[in-house]
């Protein structure tokens, strides 16, 4: 049941998985074409698509490709309230159980090993797991990050409830001892982090990540560059797939030596830095402050001097950046937002900047909020919404299989005007 929930295509041969994904992407482009028609835009191309769709680009690695896994702590099928794994069931039907991920194809063995050790640790602990905040308990989720350089980072989330600083210090010491001198030492962690969190998701600014052991960062190599990764920094979950994706993005940008590349939602700067040698300048924007620190370190370490990075919400930073844009050099934008898509003010800033003639939108969920962005980019000018710039047109779609065994794809849509 867990494999079917997390990796629903796992029983299919890989070529068949790619066919299934191609069909789902084709339907998304048909939907976009229909929605554009409703706006009075003639967008129907052969097959009812809004633009040509290339075949799904396969992932170089099919099994165990994830470099980041998040494990929950909850009641298992055997009733153990300290099971570390992934959820099966729904809250609506009140049948959620936490199942060990030992047989899930896309999770590497190292992640499963760390999860097993964490479960052993919390089962020894007299403190309860925190399943529902208001019912008490402490031990919560585990995030494991690994890199092709052999580095492993574990981040453990803990609800402090009413514990004092002394009691918290005791728990942190026990955790550190377990993973450095005890049974958990087998995991050979590069970094062990601890976060006291009183909510479902907590940023570093809301509750700092506390380094209990090892190095503050792990490192990854991608397209000949070295990248530093902080606990909460975004990095594509499939490193080998990301190399293929970023190479294609570089070609689609059609950048020349005088091009300025605008990298919106840039994370640790991977896209911009990997393309920096092709362009005159890279401007990155990212909301996670630690990721920007990583991006700046990555640029300096790799000897790249033509990049500047801005920390803050894109909807606050970008309109200011572009409102006074008078640079004569060609400006190409690459956006890689979360599933929530781009804020309307970001789309409006892009539309209203005449210098942007080419835009690459990278989406892991194009049928979701990204669809709203596609329509906002392509709709006719609307003075009421302060949308003055001429519309973009979708000209090419390329899906990349960054998530084998799942139904998800990373879709790159090229827009021009």
């Amino acid at each position: 049941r867990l494999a079917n929930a997390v990796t629903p295509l796992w029983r299919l041969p890989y070529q068949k998985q790619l066919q299934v994904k191609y069909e789902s992407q084709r339907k998304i482009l048909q939907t976009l074409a229909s929605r554009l028609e409703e706006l009075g835009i003639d967008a129907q191309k052969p097959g009812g698509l809004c633009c040509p769709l290339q075949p799904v680009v396969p992932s170089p690695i099919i099994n165990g490709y994830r470099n980041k896994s998040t494990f929950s702590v909850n009641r298992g099928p055997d009733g153990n309230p300290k099971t570390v794994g992934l959820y099966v069931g729904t809250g609506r039907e009140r049948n959620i159980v936490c199942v060990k991920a030992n047989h899930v194809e896309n999770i590497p063995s190292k992640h499963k090993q760390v999860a097993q050790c964490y479960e052993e640790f919390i089962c020894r602990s007299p403190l309860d797991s925190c399943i529902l905040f208001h019912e008490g308990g402490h031990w919560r989720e585990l995030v494991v990050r690994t890199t092709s350089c052999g580095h492993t980072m574990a981040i453990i989330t803990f609800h402090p409830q009413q514990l004092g600083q002394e009691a918290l210090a005791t728990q942190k010491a026990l955790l550190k001892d377990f993973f450095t001198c005890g049974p958990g030492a087998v995991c050979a962690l590069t970094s062990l982090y601890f976060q006291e969190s009183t909510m479902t998701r907590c940023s570093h600014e809301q509750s700092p990540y506390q380094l209990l052991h090892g190095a503050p960062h792990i490192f990854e190599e991608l397209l000949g560059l070295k990248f530093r990764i902080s606990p909460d920094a975004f990095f594509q979950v499939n490193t080998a797939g990301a190399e293929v994706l970023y190479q294609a993005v570089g070609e689609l940008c059609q950048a020349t030596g005088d091009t300025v590349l605008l990298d919106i939602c840039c994370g640790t700067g991977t896209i911009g830095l990997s393309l920096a040698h092709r362009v005159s300048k890279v401007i990155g924007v990212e909301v996670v402050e630690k990721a920007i620190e990583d991006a700046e370190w990555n640029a300096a370490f790799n000897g790249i001097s033509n990049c500047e990075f801005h920390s803050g919400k894109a909807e606050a930073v970008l309109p200011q950046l572009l409102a006074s844009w008078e640079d004569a050099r060609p400006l190409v934008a690459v956006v890689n937002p979360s599933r929530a898509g781009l804020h309307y003010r970001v789309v409006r800033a892009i539309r209203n900047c005449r210098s942007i003639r080419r835009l690459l939108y990278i989406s892991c969920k194009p049928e979701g909020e990204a669809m709203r962005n596609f329509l906002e980019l392509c709709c006719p000018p609307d003075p009421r919404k302060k949308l003055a710039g001429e519309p973009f047109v979708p000209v090419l779609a390329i899906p990349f299989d960054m998530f084998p065994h799942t139904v998800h794809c990373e879709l790159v849509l090229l827009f021009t005007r």
Side-chain angles (χ1 to χ4, degrees):
R1 283 181 63 199
L2 178 64
N4 289 341
V6 177
T7 50
L9 304 183
W10 70 282
R11 294 180 189 273
L12 296 179
Y14 189 55
Q15 286 304 314
K16 181 66 177 171
Q17 291 187 30
L18 296 177
Q19 289 173 14
V20 169
K21 295 189 183 197
Y22 180 83
E23 284 305 312
S24 69
Q25 299 303 304
R26 195 170 64 83
K27 286 175 183 171
I28 289 165
L29 295 186
Q30 285 177 333
T31 301
L32 178 55
S34 299
R35 299 283 298 276
L36 291 171
E37 292 278 325
E38 291 168 12
L39 294 174
I41 301 164
D42 181 17
Q44 293 278 2
K45 299 290 185 295
L49 307 182
C50 63
C51 64
L53 173 65
Q54 291 194 358
V56 181
V57 178
S59 171
I61 300 171
I62 299 167
N63 293 327
Y65 57 84
R66 291 191 66 90
N67 56 38
K68 180 182 179 184
S69 300
T70 302
F71 299 96
S72 299
V73 179
N74 210 315
R75 200 171 307 282
D78 59 356
N80 173 17
K82 292 181 174 180
T83 301
V84 176
L86 307 175
Y87 285 154
V88 170
T90 63
R92 185 182 297 171
E93 296 182 23
R94 299 189 176 185
N95 63 349
I96 288 178
V97 288
C98 193
V99 182
K100 292 184 183 184
N102 296 346
H103 304 292
V104 177
E105 300 263 13
N106 62 350
I107 298 177
S109 56
K110 172 61 81 171
H111 294 203
K112 297 170 185 176
Q113 180 189 47
V114 179
Q116 183 58 47
C117 285
Y118 179 50
E119 181 174 314
E120 184 180 338
F121 173 79
I122 63 174
C123 284
R124 293 180 178 196
S125 172
L127 300 183
D128 292 334
S129 55
C130 178
I131 294 173
L132 296 171
F133 291 176
H134 63 277
E135 291 183 2
H138 301 277
W139 298 113
R140 293 189 47 230
E141 71 179 26
L142 162 74
V143 174
V144 184
R145 303 187 77 153
T146 49
T147 69
S148 59
C149 303
H151 298 165
T152 305
M153 177 187 285
I155 307 155
I156 286 162
T157 312
F158 183 91
H159 197 308
Q161 302 291 357
Q162 308 306 316
L163 289 185
Q165 287 305 308
E166 196 174 325
L168 278 168
T170 300
Q171 293 308 315
K172 288 187 267 191
L174 289 169
L175 194 58
K176 178 182 175 180
D177 287 348
F178 180 86
F179 277 104
T180 56
C181 317
V186 68
C187 299
L189 295 181
T190 312
S191 312
L192 174 61
Y193 274 98
F194 183 86
Q195 188 188 37
E196 298 165 32
S197 176
T198 56
M199 57 186 97
T200 306
R201 282 282 183 274
C202 226
S203 68
H204 174 78
E205 285 72 31
Q206 292 165 319
S207 179
Y209 291 94
Q210 303 169 45
L211 182 65
L212 301 189
H213 164 73
H217 307 96
I218 55 176
F219 294 87
E220 184 57 284
E221 290 180 359
L222 189 142
L223 295 175
L225 302 177
K226 191 169 185 176
F227 292 93
R228 186 178 91 171
I229 302 171
S230 291
D232 58 342
F234 172 77
F235 201 90
Q236 283 285 358
V237 81
N238 179 341
T239 305
E243 288 198 311
V244 177
L245 171 66
Y246 295 162
Q247 283 174 320
V249 166
E251 289 160 16
L252 291 169
C253 281
Q254 289 189 357
T256 59
D258 62 343
T259 300
V260 176
L261 178 69
L262 191 57
D263 187 2
I264 303 166
C265 312
C266 67
T268 56
T270 44
I271 293 177
L273 291 169
S274 65
L275 302 182
H277 66 287
R278 297 186 181 211
V279 299
S280 63
K281 186 177 183 181
V282 173
I283 302 172
V285 178
E286 168 61 44
V287 67
V288 178
E289 207 170 306
K290 287 288 179 184
I292 286 293
E293 288 178 21
D294 287 344
E296 289 172 340
W297 185 94
N298 293 334
F301 182 84
N302 290 289
I304 298 170
S305 57
N306 63 337
C307 296
E308 66 178 56
F309 296 99
H310 299 263
S311 173
K313 291 182 177 179
E315 59 268 28
V317 175
L318 200 67
Q320 289 181 319
L321 258 177
L322 297 181
S324 56
W325 190 267
E326 291 180 355
D327 198 314
R329 291 174 292 183
L331 183 59
V332 175
V334 176
V335 300
N336 187 15
S338 67
R339 292 185 178 187
L342 295 173
H343 192 284
Y344 178 71
R345 287 205 293 269
V346 177
V347 175
R348 188 170 65 194
I350 292 170
R351 278 279 303 256
N352 292 350
C353 180
R354 293 179 181 179
S355 299
I356 301 175
R357 315 301 299 172
R358 199 171 188 86
L359 168 70
L360 281 166
Y361 194 120
I362 305 169
S363 174
C364 60
K365 196 176 181 183
E367 72 278 17
E369 290 301 307
M371 182 67 72
R372 168 180 57 82
N373 289 160
F374 301 157
L375 298 172
E376 290 165 347
L377 286 165
C378 300
C379 70
D382 188 341
R384 291 172 304 166
K385 296 181 179 179
K386 299 179 181 176
L387 202 64
E390 65 178 292
F392 283 88
V393 177
V395 294
L396 183 65
I398 310 177
F400 291 80
D401 186 21
M402 302 286 280
F403 319 100
H405 307 301
T406 76
V407 295
H408 303 294
C409 241
E410 197 88 11
L411 183 67
V412 177
L413 252 180
L414 171 62
F415 294 90
T416 62
R417 60 178 177 175

